[in-house]
C-alpha cells in the first residue's frame, strides 16, 4: 500500500492513520440523496469529494467496496408524489435515474452498490426486532422508538451530552415516547401513505434505521469509512452509531467518520425550502462540470465552499490552463534545451502524493498540477525536445486523472470546435515556418475575434479560451 495515509476522523477529532478491517479492502458507506426533487450542486460537491477519496484509495491499491444509498421513502417524497398525483415509487425511480446520469456527467465513478430503503425492509425489520429484544427499543401504538438513554455513548460523534439536549425542532415530541430524546425506528402509516408490513404495524421505516440496516447488510456490519455532509453529524449519524452499535454489540460501528463541508451560494446555505439552489442539470447544461469539479477540489473537503459565477469562471480559466499544458507536442524542438523537466516532474509527483496522503489535501495536490503545467509551458517556450515536454504533460494528465480531471477533454467553452481550432493552429504553424505571415496573422486575428488566444513558442503554438 506504499506510504501511510492519514485522515481526519470526526469521531476522535484528530488525524489518524488508515487501518482497515480487512487488509487491502476499504468498506466505505456514503449517505446518498433523498430523491424528492432534482439533485443540486451541493449533492454534486459531496459526490465529487467521496469520488476523489475513492479514486485515491484505489490508486493506493485498496479494493474499495463503495455503497451509496437512496432514501426513497420520506415525508417530502410522499408530499410531492401526492401533489403530482403519482406513486411515490414512480417519482423516486425517475429522480434516481436522473441522478445516475448526472453523477456520470460529473465524472463520478459508479458505486459498488446503490441500496434503496424500500428494497431493504426485511433487513430493517430484523434490526428493529433485535433492538427491541436487547431492550434498546420499544413499540408504542404501531410505532417503534429507540431508547436513547440505554446507549451510554450517545453524543460521542457530535460532542453533545444527553442531559444537555433540549427537545426542539429536530427532536420529535410525542406523548407516546418514554423520553423526548427517543427517535422513531418504525412509523405506522397514515392514510394514503405507502406501507410495508411489520410485526408492529403496516408502516414505513424511520430515516436513521435505513442506513444502519443497509451498512450491516451490504458491508458485513462494520465499515471502515462512513461519509456524508457535516449537516448529517447530528442527529442522523449520531443515531446511526447508537442503533448500529447497540444492535451489533461491537464498537466502533465505523472506524472513520469523514464529513464534507457545506456548499453555500454567495454566502447563504443552499436550501430547497427557500429556493436558492442550482440544479446539477443546470450545471451540466453549461458544459462546465469539469470546471465545477476543479473548483470543489481547490477547497479542502472538510471546509465550506462558497459558489459564485465568478468562482466557477475562475475554475474554468484554471482548467483551460491545465488543458493547454496537456496538449500534444506539435513540433520537435531542440533536444539540447534543458528545461529541468525531470526535476519538475519529480517535485510535482512527490508534492501531489504527500498532499493526498495528508487527509486528502486536494488544494495542495491541485497546486502541484499548476506548478507542473507552468514547467511544461516553460519547456515549450524554451524549445525543449518533444520527449522532455512529453514527460511533463504525460505526468500532468496522469496526476489530474487521479482527481477525476480529464485534461484530454474540453469543456463547452471550447466545445466541439476544439479539434478544428487544433487544426487551424497546426496550419498556422506551417504557414509561419514557410514565412507566410499574412495568412498566419489572419488565422490568429480571426481566432482572437472568437475569444481564442494563441501563444507562440519555438516548439509550437498553443491556444486557450479567453
Amino acid at each position: 500500500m506504499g506510504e501511510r495515509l492519514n485522515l481526519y476522523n470526526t469521531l476522535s477529532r484528530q488525524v489518524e492513520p488508515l487501518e482497515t478491517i480487512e487488509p487491502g479492502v476499504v468498506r466505505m458507506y456514503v449517505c446518498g440523496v433523498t430523491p424528492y426533487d432534482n439533485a443540486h450542486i451541493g449533492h454534486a460537491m459531496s459526490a465529487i469529494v467521496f469520488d476523489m477519496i475513492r479514486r485515491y484509495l484505489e490508486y493506493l491499491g485498496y479494493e474499495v467496496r463503495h455503497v451509496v444509498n437512496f432514501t426513497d421513502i420520506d415525508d417530502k417524497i410522499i408530499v410531492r408524489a401526492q401533489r403530482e398525483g403519482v406513486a411515490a415509487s414512480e417519482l423516486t425511480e425517475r429522480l434516481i435515474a436522473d441522478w445516475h446520469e448526472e453523477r456520470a456527467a460529473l465524472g463520478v465513478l459508479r458505486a459498488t452498490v446503490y441500496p434503496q430503503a424500500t428494497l431493504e425492509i426485511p433487513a430493517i425489520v430484523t434490526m428493529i426486532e433485535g433492538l427491541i429484544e436487547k431492550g434498546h427499543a420499544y413499540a408504542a401504538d404501531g410505532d417503534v422508538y429507540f431508547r436513547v438513554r440505554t446507549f451510554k455513548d450517545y453524543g460521542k460523534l457530535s460532542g453533545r451530552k444527553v442531559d444537555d439536549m433540549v427537545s426542539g425542532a429536530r427532536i420529535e415530541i410525542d406523548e407516546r415516547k418514554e423520553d423526548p430524546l427517543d427517535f422513531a425506528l418504525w412509523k405506522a402509516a397514515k392514510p394514503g401513505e405507502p406501507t410495508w408490513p411489520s410485526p408492529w404495524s403496516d408502516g414505513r421505516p424511520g430515516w436513521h434505521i435505513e442506513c444502519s440496516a443497509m451498512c450491516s447488510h451490504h458491508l458485513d456490519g462494520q465499515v471502515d469509512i462512513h461519509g456524508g455532509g457535516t449537516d448529517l453529524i447530528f442527529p442522523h449519524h449520531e443515531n446511526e452509531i447508537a442503533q448500529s452499535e447497540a444492535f451489533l454489540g461491537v464498537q466502533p460501528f465505523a472506524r472513520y467518520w469523514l464529513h464534507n463541508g457545506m456548499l453555500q451560494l454567495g454566502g447563504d446555505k443552499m436550501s430547497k425550502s427557500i429556493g436558492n439552489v442550482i440544479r446539477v442539470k443546470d450545471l451540466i447544461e453549461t458544459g462546465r462540470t469539469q470546471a465545477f469539479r476543479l473548483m470543489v477540489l481547490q477547497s479542502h473537503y472538510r471546509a465550506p465552499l462558497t459558489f459564485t459565477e465568478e468562482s466557477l469562471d475562475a475554475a474554468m480559466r484554471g482548467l483551460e490552463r491545465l488543458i493547454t499544458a496537456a496538449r500534444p507536442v506539435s513540433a520537435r524542438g531542440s533536444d539540447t534545451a534543458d528545461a529541468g523537466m525531470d526535476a519538475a516532474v519529480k517535485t510535482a509527483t512527490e508534492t501531489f502524493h504527500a498532499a493526498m496522503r495528508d487527509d486528502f489535501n486536494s488544494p495542495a495536490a491541485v497546486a502541484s498540477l499548476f506548478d507542473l503545467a507552468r514547467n511544461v509551458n516553460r519547456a515549450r517556450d524554451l524549445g525543449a525536445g518533444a520527449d522532455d515536454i512529453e514527460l511533463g504533460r504525460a505526468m500532468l494528465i496522469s496526476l489530474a486523472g487521479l482527481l477525476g480531471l480529464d485534461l484530454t477533454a474540453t469543456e463547452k467553452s471550447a466545445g466541439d470546435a476544439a479539434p478544428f481550432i487544433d487544426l487551424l493552429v497546426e496550419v498556422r504553424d506551417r504557414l509561419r515556418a514557410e514565412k507566410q505571415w499574412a495568412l498566419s496573422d489572419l488565422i490568429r486575428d480571426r481566432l482572437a475575434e472568437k475569444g481564442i488566444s494563441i501563444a507562440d513558442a519555438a516548439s509550437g503554438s498553443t491556444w486557450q479560451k479567453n
Side-chain angles (χ1 to χ4, degrees):
M1 296 302 165
E3 294 192 40
R4 187 172 67 177
L5 173 67
N6 297 305
L7 61 167
Y8 181 85
N9 189 350
T10 306
L11 182 61
S12 66
R13 295 166 182 78
Q14 61 186 9
V15 176
E16 302 174 0
L18 176 64
E19 296 179 3
T20 60
I21 298 166
E22 299 176 64
V25 177
V26 173
R27 306 177 192 174
M28 184 167 76
Y29 185 95
V30 180
C31 287
V33 301
T34 300
Y36 71 92
D37 201 350
N38 292 110
H40 56 64
I41 58 173
H43 299 128
M45 173 191 174
S46 184
I48 288 168
V49 162
F50 287 99
D51 181 67
M52 173 267 293
I53 290 171
R54 182 244 182 107
R55 284 173 183 269
Y56 197 69
L57 289 169
E58 290 183 338
Y59 163 77
L60 292 177
Y62 289 100
E63 174 194 344
V64 181
R65 298 176 187 168
H66 185 193
V67 177
V68 179
N69 78 296
F70 286 104
T71 300
D72 61 342
I73 186 65
D74 171 89
D75 289 341
K76 293 177 181 178
I77 291 172
I78 293 170
V79 169
R80 179 168 178 183
Q82 291 174 341
R83 186 172 69 243
E84 294 188 5
V86 300
S89 59
E90 180 180 342
L91 172 67
T92 58
E93 285 172 11
R94 184 181 77 240
L95 292 171
I96 287 171
D98 287 347
W99 182 224
H100 281 309
E101 291 181 5
E102 290 158 3
R103 284 171 63 95
L106 292 166
V108 174
L109 300 173
R110 284 192 66 86
T112 308
V113 62
Y114 293 97
Q116 297 174 216
T118 59
L119 302 179
E120 304 283 333
I121 300 299
I124 292 170
V125 169
T126 296
M127 181 169 275
I128 295 174
E129 287 177 328
L131 289 169
I132 291 175
E133 290 173 5
K134 295 181 178 184
H136 291 292
Y138 58 94
D141 297 332
D143 293 348
V144 181
Y145 296 96
F146 184 88
R147 288 189 175 99
V148 167
R149 292 183 189 272
T150 65
F151 186 72
K152 63 182 180 62
D153 290 331
Y154 191 81
K156 63 182 178 180
L157 182 69
S158 61
R160 304 182 184 209
K161 296 182 184 294
V162 171
D163 291 337
D164 294 339
M165 293 182 187
V166 179
S167 297
R170 300 203 67 174
I171 300 175
E172 297 178 23
I173 300 175
D174 191 322
E175 293 181 355
R176 293 172 297 173
K177 294 182 180 182
E178 296 177 355
D179 188 304
L181 295 177
D182 295 348
F183 57 87
L185 301 177
W186 187 264
K187 299 179 180 181
K190 298 174 183 176
E193 291 185 350
T195 67
W196 291 265
S198 81
W200 316 286
S201 65
D202 287 348
R204 58 188 172 94
W207 173 31
H208 315 297
I209 193 68
E210 298 168 2
C211 284
S212 288
M214 286 185 273
C215 273
S216 182
H217 182 192
H218 293 282
L219 291 172
D220 303 322
Q222 288 180 288
V223 298
D224 294 299
I225 294 175
H226 195 308
T230 54
D231 59 329
L232 298 180
I233 293 175
F234 188 88
H236 184 51
H237 287 167
E238 195 74 73
N239 290 350
E240 270 195 73
I241 289 175
Q243 297 163 158
S244 298
E245 294 186 0
F247 175 76
L248 296 169
V250 296
Q251 293 187 357
F253 154 56
R255 288 194 171 195
Y256 307 91
W257 288 87
L258 273 59
H259 292 96
N260 64 273
M262 293 291 96
L263 188 142
Q264 301 175 325
L265 289 180
D268 296 324
K269 180 181 177 182
M270 291 189 65
S271 170
K272 287 178 180 175
S273 62
I274 62 175
N276 66 333
V277 300
I278 297 175
R279 301 182 307 169
V280 178
K281 284 180 178 291
D282 300 329
L283 176 67
I284 293 172
E285 287 176 2
T286 70
R288 297 192 290 178
T289 54
Q290 281 221 100
F292 179 77
R293 187 180 187 104
L294 180 60
M295 185 183 77
V296 170
L297 295 171
Q298 286 180 296
S299 176
H300 195 280
Y301 78 88
R302 289 194 283 116
L305 175 64
T306 299
F307 176 93
T308 63
E309 283 296 327
E310 292 76 15
S311 63
L312 185 60
D313 287 342
M316 187 72 234
R317 291 191 295 272
L319 178 64
E320 287 172 342
R321 289 198 301 274
L322 294 175
I323 290 174
T324 297
R327 292 193 181 281
V329 181
S330 58
R332 178 95 194 137
S334 171
D335 291 329
T336 61
D338 182 11
M341 190 57 69
D342 286 338
V345 167
K346 183 175 184 294
T347 298
T349 303
E350 290 176 350
T351 303
F352 179 95
H353 290 297
M356 292 299 288
R357 288 194 302 270
D358 180 18
D359 192 31
F360 306 105
N361 186 351
S362 61
V366 169
S368 73
L369 298 184
F370 282 106
D371 287 341
L372 182 55
R374 280 191 290 272
N375 280 286
V376 171
N377 288 331
R378 175 175 169 272
R380 292 183 194 270
D381 293 340
L382 289 173
D387 291 344
D388 211 19
I389 296 172
E390 181 62 27
L391 174 66
R393 66 175 291 274
M395 184 54 69
L396 178 63
I397 292 169
S398 176
L399 294 176
L402 294 180
L403 299 177
L405 295 169
D406 182 3
L407 301 188
T408 64
T410 55
E411 295 276 43
K412 191 174 182 178
S413 61
D416 295 335
F420 300 100
I421 298 172
D422 287 337
L423 178 60
L424 286 171
V425 171
E426 183 180 344
V427 169
R428 181 174 173 274
D429 279 344
R430 293 185 182 183
L431 291 172
R432 283 166 51 81
E434 296 169 2
K435 298 184 179 182
Q436 297 189 45
W437 309 117
L439 284 175
S440 68
D441 289 348
L442 177 63
I443 292 174
R444 180 199 62 203
D445 295 343
R446 289 295 175 87
L447 286 175
E449 291 173 3
K450 302 297 183 182
I452 304 296
S453 62
I454 295 178
D456 295 319
S459 59
S461 301
T462 57
W463 65 268
Q464 66 178 17
K465 179 80 172 177
N466 294 329

